[in-house]
Amino acid sequence: QARLVESGGGFVQAGDSLRLSCTASGLSFDLKAMGWFRQAPGKERERVSTISRDSRRTFYRESVKGRFTVSRDNAQNTVYLQMNSLKPDDTATYYCAAATAWNPEYLPPDSDYQVWGQGTQVTVSS
């Protein structure tokens, strides 16, 4: 059974950094594009960052560009999200998700992400 487990969330001050990790099991990690999404209370879920199978292509939402970095280690079945210069607006539950990508450089649409983790809370205090 496919499973994604996130870790690394926490309570930090504005300007601090966190590194989220997501480890996969029960799926062919190297055949999946991976994504980080977040949802704040009362708001819709939004895509934060995605990374292709071969790490050659990445996506960042505008508000995190220059502050967040996504990476993956296919040998460890793990995807990371390094978050620097955190802001209170980054407060949310962060989820990782997996989407089958037959092309190594393909970044799937949100609707293709079918396997989801349970989420990890990130709270940034001002």
Side-chain angles (χ1 to χ4, degrees), residues 57-74:
R57 292 189 65 201
T58 56
F59 163 86
Y60 298 95
R61 70 180 299 106
E62 195 63 35
S63 62
V64 308
K65 282 182 180 178
R67 301 188 296 121
F68 290 12
T69 303
V70 64
S71 61
R72 64 189 292 164
D73 183 341
N74 286 352

Side-chain angles (χ1 to χ4, degrees), residues 10-23:
F11 184 98
V12 297
Q13 301 292 320
D16 286 350
S17 298
L18 281 174
R19 189 195 196 202
L20 305 184
S21 300
C22 170
T23 300

